[in-house]
Amino acid sequence: MHGYAMSILLLGQTLEFTADPFHAGPGAARHDPHGAVLIDGGRIAAVGPADALRAANPGAQVFDYGNALISPGFVDAHVHYPQTGIIASWGKRLIDWLNSYTFPEESRFGDPQHAQAMAEMCLDLMLAQGTTTLCSFATIHPESVDALFGAAQARGMRVLGGKTCMDRNAPDTLRDTAQSAYDQSKALLNRWHGVDRLSYVITPRFAPTSTPEQLQALGALWAEHPDCLMQTHLSEQTEEIAWVRSLFPKARDYLDVYEQFGLLGAGGLYGHAIHLTERERARLLETGASLIHCPTSNSFIGSGLFDMPGLKAEGQSIGLATDIGGGSSFSMLRTMAAAYEIGQLRGTPLHPAFLWWLATEGSARALGLGDRIGRLKPGVEADLIVVDLASTPVIAQRAARADDLWQAVFPTIMMGDDRAIRATWVSGRLHEPRT
Ligand code: GUN
Ligand code: ZN
């Protein structure tokens, strides 16, 4: 990493959304084929035409990226960094997948050295893919949270995360209690929340792995710290939903379990949210909760087809995520492609503007960070990526036939990977120059 005393000017194509394109239409974007982004003190100072910004800032250090696209860094709203090592594990559905692959690996994260090595690997893989912010589950071990935040701090990244609490239906090595989950989460929150660019997220894994007492304790902690987010899983697979029904027979539905224990509200992040009832949808909307779509995971584990068009049309807040390691790629490009494919399977092709917005501003808004990251706008933190829209021969020949920006971007969405990420800027510093 390099530090720069002077202001920095990135030249390339720029693209700014003027509103949520799902509601305002795909035209709610400003595209400048000869644009520039001025960075000063780690924030975006100006966005405008290259010529004008160059003339106005003769002292700025210039990085000319030609006709590559300058975009906000991707925001991955649901990740399990401790599952980096078990990505692409074959053949199981959710509950068996957790027991066979996930829990044995997560049991290793009480070892601070293992936790640190995996946190660093995960964040470096993310940055290489153009992801500058992620919201991650850790494991039950407080050391795993320290490792994540330490690695984020060393890279200057805005990262959110928390200790994954479980006090039943998990191996001995991965169980805490209602009291220790509360105490350890609170201690971690006090240690990390608001330090540098870090945010603590209260994290009950999901209803089946917590007793009512633990859910209650974490609901109480959230009530004491309403400025924190809370993340969990909701209605991912049909077998899981049946299990929740048998564990909580008095609850009206899966979401009601969370609501009974104070775990539903604005600032609540609900991963997957595929098989929702009408009542659950209405409550999620009323309370201002956010749903996190994890499309590569949903096809990899065989979970189902998220109703993006219907949920957006009714006004839900939705973020996009890889769900590493249930998800099968670190790339938010690949994740956008999977969201497109799931849209097609539901009969609705999602416009590339919708996909790009979801991976940047949409996820940022879902995490309550819409004013800080995810946009090309003065005052926003300078987490930026430079995307080569011709990164492989097949993408290049397809993009060359494009008549407009979105046609030029779509081949990269569908076929792109880390080769498309020419540079990643984190808080106004170049992380990985690859020119
Ligand atoms: N539900 C509870 N835990 C998990 C997890 O680690 N991954 C996925 N995909 N779903 C979950
Ligand atoms: Zn998850």
Side-chain angles (χ1 to χ4, degrees):
M1 274 207 229
H2 313 284
Y4 304 100
M6 60 183 88
S7 58
I8 298 156
L9 195 58
L10 310 186
L11 309 182
Q13 302 200 58
T14 54
L15 170 69
E16 289 169 88
F17 291 102
T18 53
D20 176 347
F22 279 94
H23 301 309
R30 250 193 307 268
H31 169 227
D32 187 340
H34 303 287
V37 179
L38 183 71
I39 302 173
D40 208 349
R43 287 176 192 273
I44 297 173
V47 180
D51 291 346
L53 282 184
R54 262 190 122 137
N57 298 278
Q61 185 174 3
V62 175
F63 290 76
D64 188 347
Y65 290 114
N67 66 358
L69 178 68
I70 301 170
S71 167
F74 297 134
V75 179
D76 188 341
H78 183 120
V79 176
H80 298 256
Y81 95 79
Q83 297 173 15
T84 297
I86 56 126
I87 189 172
S89 290
W90 186 87
K92 309 263 183 186
R93 287 179 64 77
L94 177 62
I95 308 304
D96 278 350
W97 176 87
L98 286 171
N99 288 318
S100 307
Y101 301 123
T102 306
F103 290 163
E105 175 60 14
E106 290 194 8
S107 296
R108 302 175 61 193
F109 282 70
D111 170 1
Q113 280 181 347
H114 183 65
Q116 186 188 337
M118 296 313 292
E120 291 188 356
M121 185 190 299
C122 180
L123 295 189
D124 286 340
L125 289 166
M126 290 278 172
L127 287 167
Q129 298 284 359
T131 296
T132 47
T133 285
L134 50 136
C135 183
S136 183
F137 288 63
T139 65
I140 67 150
H141 313 94
E143 296 85 348
S144 72
V145 176
D146 293 338
L148 173 68
F149 284 149
Q153 231 171 2
R155 289 159 180 75
M157 292 173 74
R158 183 168 283 292
V159 166
L160 307 88
K163 168 190 144 74
T164 298
C165 301
M166 296 197 272
D167 68 343
R168 65 165 159 174
N169 293 321
D172 293 350
T173 47
L174 278 185
R175 281 202 312 266
D176 50 16
T177 66
Q179 189 66 45
S180 67
Y182 175 90
D183 292 342
Q184 292 175 342
S185 298
K186 192 182 176 93
L188 289 163
L189 189 161
N190 287 328
R191 184 178 318 153
W192 291 110
H193 189 58
V195 173
D196 292 343
R197 305 183 76 201
L198 310 174
S199 302
Y200 191 79
V201 184
I202 296 165
T203 308
R205 178 173 221 118
F206 69 155
T209 47
S210 288
T211 58
E213 292 70 31
Q214 181 169 81
L215 295 174
Q216 184 91 50
L218 294 174
L221 182 62
W222 198 18
E224 290 163 33
H225 297 277
D227 57 316
C228 280
L229 300 177
M230 188 287 305
Q231 63 183 345
T232 189
H233 297 86
L234 175 68
S235 293
E236 179 177 0
Q237 287 206 341
T238 49
E239 303 92 313
E240 170 209 10
I241 296 166
W243 193 21
V244 170
R245 198 176 299 121
S246 72
L247 290 169
F248 299 91
K250 292 202 192 105
R252 282 175 289 187
D253 47 44
Y254 196 156
L255 186 68
D256 197 37
V257 173
Y258 294 133
E259 183 158 16
Q260 276 177 20
F261 298 110
L263 294 169
L264 173 62
L269 309 171
Y270 302 86
H272 304 279
I274 300 168
H275 309 282
L276 300 175
T277 64
E278 286 304 315
R279 197 204 76 87
E280 288 174 309
R281 289 168 76 130
R283 279 307 283 154
L284 286 162
L285 187 61
E286 270 164 20
T287 54
S290 292
L291 314 186
I292 310 299
H293 181 29
C294 306
T296 70
S297 171
N298 294 345
S299 25
F300 182 75
I301 312 186
S303 301
L305 307 179
F306 182 82
D307 181 17
M308 179 68 76
L311 291 162
K312 277 301 288 187
E314 69 194 33
Q316 303 278 2
S317 164
I318 299 176
L320 187 65
T322 61
D323 189 31
I324 297 301
S328 54
S329 173
F330 276 76
S331 168
M332 287 297 280
L333 294 170
R334 175 72 203 115
T335 303
M336 286 182 239
Y340 178 77
E341 289 161 354
I342 287 174
Q344 285 286 56
L345 288 168
R346 292 197 67 110
T348 309
L350 300 173
H351 191 278
F354 297 5
L355 298 167
W356 207 272
W357 183 85
L358 280 169
T360 53
E361 188 172 343
S363 279
R365 281 197 198 179
L367 299 179
L369 295 170
D371 294 334
R372 294 194 179 193
I373 56 169
R375 306 179 64 179
L376 279 198
K377 196 181 161 225
V380 170
E381 296 166 6
D383 288 346
L384 300 165
I385 55 175
V386 180
V387 184
D388 178 356
L389 299 177
S391 60
T392 69
V394 63
I395 295 173
Q397 63 86 32
R398 181 65 188 86
R401 296 177 181 225
D403 296 325
D404 63 26
L405 174 75
W406 290 120
Q407 285 184 24
V409 169
F410 193 56
T412 289
I413 290 178
M414 291 310 301
M415 299 185 280
D417 54 31
D418 52 332
R419 289 169 289 179
I421 309 302
R422 253 180 87 179
T424 302
W425 289 79
V426 178
S427 198
R429 289 160 184 256
L430 183 58
H431 176 72
E432 194 183 359
R434 288 204 284 162
T435 42

